[in-house]
Amino acid sequence: MSRIFSGIQPSGELHIGNYLGAVRNWVALQSQFESIFCIVDYHAIIGSFTPEDLRRRTREMGISLLAAGLDPAHCTLFVQSRVPEHTELQWIFNTITPLGELERQVAYKEKAARQEQVMAGLLNYPVLQAADILLYLADTVPVGEDQVQHLELSRVIARNWNSRFAPADAPYFPEPKPKLTPTRRIVGLDGNAKMSKSLNNTIGLLESPDDMWAKLRPAVTDPARVKKTDPGNPDKCPVIFELHKAFSPPDVVAEVDANCRGAKWGCIDCKKVLFEHMNAELTPIRTRAQALAEQPALVDDALNAGAEKARVIARQTIAHVKEQMGLA
Ligand code: TRP
């Protein structure tokens, strides 16, 4: 049976884009596969941050993930830095990763181009990611399109290690494959770019209904619709129609489509229907998050128990790797 691993940066509260693009999928997968999910704080210290802020964002991410439906009874959820084997395996992998493979990673090139001084951690980011996955011998990684190249590198690393340190007929590390998230990427409220905290165009997963409505109301729609009587084209409505497809049931999506093309609903009517369906899914999540925020010890306990579970596997992998390499 497949083992799933995925990671998310501790960016604080989840936004709707992260939720639809990753976490909702994880919640569905946890009951079908053995699943391990990780808040990757070692990845997050590449770049500027303050310790207090990192601690807060890590806890908030834990709350968001638990509230969204990750259930410690069905998956393993933990914080990366609590399992030291991640960095232990990363060092080993650094020694079998060709520099050229790292330098041609698009994510690296884009980030490095914007920085005056590039730290080694930025270059080595995908090696840590490979260690995250392979430490658990995971073969399936639910991620978005932007992570496909990083996973290619994980496969190179798995092959390199296997070819040097495992018998030819019994490879040890699997070659992990991406499992692309079904929801298309969610555009931010400005309609121009991917929803992203740094672009300030997000809807927070835990935002109040009032705040959410204050963002939906003015959000861009098909520019051809100036008056209610102008027929519209839902395919040119990048935010609201996409959110309908993500949150509203199929019959409602069909109704939205017809009423937009037929100029029967104004955009505000359409947004009200969306608002209702978003709240139907998000209200229980907000309620759970509220309860967890009031009991931070529960969140810490859940994450610590997750780290203990993860370490049982992580220790076995490291022991085997060291044994094969003459390090033990
Ligand atoms: N690089 C991933 C991202 O930015 C996060 C991540 C770290 C990850 N380690 C991982 C994802 C392992 C999948 C598997 O989204």
Side-chain angles (χ1 to χ4, degrees), residues 33-192:
F33 300 94
E34 183 188 350
S35 305
I36 304 176
F37 300 114
C38 183
I39 301 173
V40 292
D41 55 348
Y42 272 140
H43 282 103
I45 61 173
I46 302 170
S48 59
F49 69 98
T50 66
E52 270 323 302
D53 202 42
L54 178 62
R55 197 170 283 120
R56 178 187 58 77
R57 287 191 277 114
T58 302
R59 170 164 304 125
E60 280 180 13
M61 183 55 75
I63 291 175
S64 281
L65 292 173
L66 291 166
L70 288 187
D71 177 353
H74 289 112
C75 69
T76 300
L77 173 66
F78 70 104
V79 179
Q80 186 186 34
S81 65
R82 310 303 191 270
V83 179
E85 287 79 7
H86 286 249
T87 43
E88 207 174 345
L89 188 59
Q90 190 212 1
W91 175 253
I92 290 170
F93 284 170
N94 272 329
T95 67
I96 54 161
T97 305
L99 191 54
E101 294 281 346
L102 296 177
E103 284 168 339
R104 67 184 190 81
Q105 296 287 315
V106 173
Y108 166 72
K109 286 196 283 192
E110 281 177 5
K111 290 205 176 102
R114 283 189 259 117
Q115 294 175 10
E116 241 170 74
Q117 191 182 38
V118 177
M119 297 298 171
L122 186 67
L123 183 68
N124 287 301
Y125 180 110
V127 185
L128 180 57
Q129 182 162 347
D132 294 341
I133 299 163
L134 295 174
L135 189 54
Y136 302 98
L137 308 180
D139 54 13
T140 306
V141 186
V143 280
E145 199 75 58
D146 61 330
Q147 296 298 313
V148 166
Q149 199 185 22
H150 284 157
L151 287 193
E152 243 166 58
L153 181 70
S154 298
R155 293 196 290 279
V156 169
I157 292 174
R159 276 198 293 275
N160 284 357
W161 193 91
N162 289 340
S163 73
R164 281 196 58 193
F165 302 112
D169 57 347
Y172 179 63
F173 287 116
E175 293 186 24
K177 308 243 169 350
K179 185 177 178 65
L180 294 178
T181 316
T183 304
R184 281 204 289 153
R185 75 181 205 167
I186 294 296
V187 165
L189 287 166
D190 48 14
N192 294 321

Side-chain angles (χ1 to χ4, degrees), residues 200-251:
N200 200 19
N201 62 3
T202 65
I203 298 176
L205 184 67
L206 306 177
E207 255 172 56
S208 72
D210 285 352
D211 290 349
M212 196 165 86
W213 180 245
K215 289 182 175 178
L216 288 178
R217 228 183 105 88
V220 294
T221 54
D222 176 1
R225 295 205 78 187
V226 182
K227 301 189 300 306
K228 193 168 168 172
T229 48
D230 297 330
N233 178 355
D235 300 325
K236 296 198 172 143
C237 181
V239 185
I240 302 299
F241 193 56
E242 290 303 313
L243 288 174
H244 264 299
K245 286 194 274 189
F247 284 102
S248 304
D251 56 320

